[in-house]
Amino acid sequence: LVELRDIRKSFSMGKEEVEILHGISISVEKSEFVAMMGPSGSGKSTTMNILGCLDKPTSGTYILNGQNINDLEGDDLAVIRNRTIGFVFQGFNLLQKTSAIENVELPLLYAGMPKKERRERAKEALIQMGLEDRLYHEPTQLSGGQQQRVAIARGIVNRAPILMADEPTGNLDSKTSDEIMKLFKKINEEDGTTILLVTHEPDVAAYAKRIVHFKDGMITSDEINREVKVS
Amino acid sequence: LVELRDIRKSFSMGKEEVEILHGISISVEKSEFVAMMGPSGSGKSTTMNILGCLDKPTSGTYILNGQNINDLEGDDLAVIRNRTIGFVFQGFNLLQKTSAIENVELPLLYAGMPKKERRERAKEALIQMGLEDRLYHEPTQLSGGQQQRVAIARGIVNRAPILMADEPTGNLDSKTSDEIMKLFKKINEEDGTTILLVTHEPDVAAYAKRIVHFKDGMITSDEINREVKVS
Ligand SMILES: Nc1ncnc2c1ncn2[C@@H]1O[C@H](COP(=O)(O)OP(=O)(O)OP(=O)(O)O)[C@@H](O)[C@H]1O
Ligand SMILES: Nc1ncnc2c1ncn2[C@@H]1O[C@H](COP(=O)(O)OP(=O)(O)OP(=O)(O)O)[C@@H](O)[C@H]1O
Ligand SMILES: [Mg+2]
Ligand SMILES: [Mg+2]
């Protein structure tokens, strides 16, 4: 379903080119639940941004759902992304001066869903995140963990076949983290949603069925998780 | 050194007033190392913002270093804050389009330190954070954990008597978190820096000598940590 082959990514800093990803290859089947771990700066978010069609690799191939992503541009890419992927950003990326519910409605708006139905679905996703009394708060009126949960709600609201979450529990207490992970496990097992999750926390990675380790822009291990958290 | 008495804080949402802190009282002596924990939304950052002189309570008293903070305004408040407190924000609050080193120099600039010395000190703080090859990167050119470490460097660079850190390790892997906590422990024990730290992680709170629990805008427990992490 998701396949990266020898992905390299460089950024230009002034006149210099710095290579950050040195040939990342990974293949994920439908309904897998994969956790990605590794030290700060090892290339996890850079890889997630390529997987989420938010950034293009410098070289290498990305095949998503049978489609070579390098062949797509602009609107075509945006449509595929909206239909296929729910994305939770490490830095939340919520729209300022916009309520939680409107932030969560955004992917549904792009999908062409009518107003009444959008509002229903967004409300439901926020209730699942324990935020039913924060629907109309704007980001500056929310705690760090509440903002994080709005970002998660926005990532799951369109029920896309793939959920990509970049450190979704960094600002959450362990009880709330656990609840979020149980919900992810549920949508993976009941809806067949494929999940790619970046995390620093072993307790969170424990829910995944496969764990991929990053170091210095390369994948150093990719193994079945023999101690999957059952409940 | 730091004393809050019956602090209440309300926010206005449209025509409504919502009380978030319902009478917070806490007293911290010089060179203490206190961790504050509690569920998402329980009022930790709101309390930290009051302690950091970034926000005023709706009622109650804040005495900092013998001075009643309610009596101070504008520039006087800013001077006291700059001289007394190093603050690490939960959301980092780095200046965009500004390099890491310039971000870290900011508190020193306000303190009137000359350019050459500022640059030296900022560089040293960033090296302590493992960021010596990221000095000239801007926030968008840094990973989440690197941005967090720039925010921490900025909080410790002026070596103020009090360090207030709001969830400083949320985006860091456990090895880096541990290194940061050992550094905090060192500045607490060697320099006598008073540390107030908000965290969701028990492994991080373990370094503190006292743990305060928040729930629904109130302090529910405040106890000596009998299992302080020695090393
Ligand atoms: N400007 C505001 N207007 C209205 N409500 C606010 C505002 N700022 C914060 N709140 C509310 O105050 C409560 C406490 O927020 P605070 O940021 O102190 O929580 P916290 O304990 O730091 O949580 P977290 O662990 O998620 O960071 C939250 O429920 C939040 O929605
Ligand atoms: N636009 C950019 N220009 C230059 N360097 C960049 C840019 N974006 C990221 N980097 C560098 O790429 C490296 C990898 O960043 P990335 O965000 O992928 O790390 P990460 O594994 O997600 O780290 P973390 O766990 O801290 O979030 C970092 O060292 C970062 O400084
Ligand atoms: Mg990252
Ligand atoms: Mg907070």
Side-chain angles (χ1 to χ4, degrees):
Chain A
L1 183 62
V2 177
E3 187 175 357
L4 298 180
R5 285 185 215 150
D6 203 36
I7 294 289
R8 289 178 186 273
K9 177 69 185 178
S10 297
F11 289 110
S12 46
M13 295 272 310
K15 306 195 225 80
E16 278 184 49
E17 276 273 314
V18 185
E19 188 176 79
I20 295 297
L21 299 181
H22 313 300
I24 298 283
S25 297
I26 185 171
S27 179
V28 180
E29 305 296 327
K30 176 146 179 51
S31 302
E32 281 201 64
F33 189 157
V34 185
M36 302 192 224
M37 304 187 77
S40 174
S42 55
K44 307 178 298 293
S45 295
T46 304
T47 302
M48 285 293 270
N49 289 340
I50 289 167
L51 286 166
C53 303
L54 299 158
D55 198 8
K56 294 233 166 182
T58 306
S59 71
T61 314
Y62 178 19
I63 315 269
L64 174 65
N65 215 3
Q67 173 114 45
N68 187 333
I69 294 302
N70 283 341
D71 298 339
L72 298 175
E73 289 293 336
D75 290 349
D76 296 330
L77 185 59
V79 168
I80 296 280
R81 183 170 64 227
N82 177 268
R83 244 192 257 154
T84 319
I85 301 165
F87 201 94
V88 183
F89 292 85
Q90 180 171 10
F92 321 151
N93 289 21
L94 301 179
L95 289 184
Q96 299 302 312
K97 306 231 170 293
T98 303
S99 68
I101 197 165
E102 285 173 301
N103 260 289
V104 176
E105 283 184 32
L106 222 51
L108 304 175
L109 179 64
Y110 291 147
M113 190 180 278
K115 176 75 182 174
K116 188 165 179 299
E117 200 180 337
R118 280 203 319 261
R119 183 126 298 215
E120 271 312 299
R121 285 270 289 259
K123 196 173 172 192
E124 182 189 339
L126 284 164
I127 290 172
Q128 269 184 316
M129 291 294 132
L131 294 172
E132 61 219 275
D133 52 359
R134 290 288 180 274
L135 302 178
Y136 305 104
H137 283 233
E138 294 177 2
T140 53
Q141 298 169 321
L142 293 170
S143 78
Q146 290 167 346
Q147 290 178 41
Q148 185 147 45
R149 283 180 278 160
V150 174
I152 295 169
R154 186 178 58 185
I156 63 172
V157 76
N158 63 354
R159 299 177 199 165
I162 307 173
L163 171 64
M164 297 185 185
D166 194 349
E167 308 218 32
T169 62
N171 283 281
L172 300 174
D173 50 280
S174 52
K175 177 162 172 289
T176 312
S177 291
D178 238 30
E179 287 165 17
I180 302 284
M181 292 315 296
K182 288 194 173 85
L183 175 65
F184 282 12
K185 185 171 153 69
K186 178 163 173 282
I187 66 183
N188 173 246
E189 293 176 353
E190 293 182 10
D191 308 340
T193 305
T194 307
I195 301 185
L196 302 174
L197 167 77
V198 170
T199 184
H200 281 306
E201 300 175 51
D203 287 354
V204 166
Y207 283 86
K209 298 180 191 130
R210 174 177 162 198
I211 302 186
V212 174
H213 281 276
F214 281 75
K215 191 166 158 51
D216 299 325
M218 302 187 69
I219 287 178
T220 54
S221 80
D222 183 347
E223 303 185 344
I224 302 289
N225 177 13
R226 307 206 175 286
E227 306 172 14
V228 180
K229 215 164 194 164
V230 178
S231 223
Chain B
L1 185 62
V2 177
E3 187 176 356
L4 298 180
R5 285 184 215 151
D6 204 34
I7 293 288
R8 288 177 186 275
K9 177 68 186 180
S10 296
F11 289 109
S12 46
M13 294 271 309
K15 306 197 225 80
E16 277 185 51
E17 277 271 315
V18 185
E19 189 177 77
I20 294 298
L21 299 181
H22 313 300
I24 298 284
S25 296
I26 185 171
S27 179
V28 180
E29 304 296 327
K30 176 145 181 52
S31 302
E32 281 202 63
F33 189 157
V34 186
M36 301 193 224
M37 304 186 78
S40 174
S42 54
K44 305 178 299 293
S45 296
T46 304
T47 302
M48 286 292 271
N49 290 339
I50 290 167
L51 286 167
C53 303
L54 300 158
D55 197 9
K56 295 233 166 181
T58 307
S59 71
T61 314
Y62 177 20
I63 315 267
L64 175 65
N65 215 2
Q67 173 112 47
N68 186 332
I69 294 302
N70 283 341
D71 298 339
L72 298 175
E73 289 292 336
D75 290 348
D76 296 332
L77 185 58
V79 168
I80 295 281
R81 183 170 64 227
N82 177 268
R83 246 191 255 154
T84 319
I85 300 167
F87 202 93
V88 183
F89 292 86
Q90 180 171 10
F92 320 150
N93 288 22
L94 300 179
L95 288 184
Q96 298 303 310
K97 307 233 170 291
T98 303
S99 68
I101 197 165
E102 285 173 301
N103 260 290
V104 177
E105 282 183 33
L106 221 51
L108 305 175
L109 178 64
Y110 291 145
M113 191 179 278
K115 176 74 182 175
K116 188 164 180 298
E117 201 181 336
R118 280 202 319 261
R119 184 126 299 217
E120 271 313 299
R121 285 270 288 261
K123 194 173 174 191
E124 182 190 339
L126 285 164
I127 290 172
Q128 270 185 318
M129 291 293 133
L131 294 172
E132 60 218 275
D133 53 357
R134 290 287 180 275
L135 302 178
Y136 305 103
H137 284 233
E138 293 177 4
T140 52
Q141 299 169 321
L142 294 170
S143 77
Q146 290 167 346
Q147 291 177 40
Q148 186 147 43
R149 284 179 278 160
V150 174
I152 295 170
R154 186 179 58 185
I156 62 171
V157 75
N158 64 354
R159 298 175 199 167
I162 307 173
L163 171 64
M164 297 186 185
D166 194 348
E167 307 219 32
T169 62
N171 283 280
L172 300 173
D173 50 280
S174 52
K175 177 162 171 289
T176 313
S177 292
D178 239 29
E179 287 165 17
I180 302 284
M181 293 313 297
K182 288 194 174 86
L183 175 65
F184 282 13
K185 185 172 154 69
K186 179 163 173 281
I187 66 181
N188 174 246
E189 292 176 353
E190 294 182 9
D191 308 340
T193 306
T194 306
I195 301 185
L196 301 175
L197 167 77
V198 171
T199 184
H200 280 306
E201 300 175 50
D203 288 353
V204 166
Y207 284 86
K209 299 181 192 127
R210 174 178 163 198
I211 302 185
V212 174
H213 281 277
F214 280 74
K215 189 165 159 51
D216 299 326
M218 301 187 70
I219 287 178
T220 54
S221 81
D222 183 346
E223 303 185 345
I224 303 289
N225 176 14
R226 307 205 177 287
E227 307 173 14
V228 180
K229 216 164 195 162
V230 179
S231 223

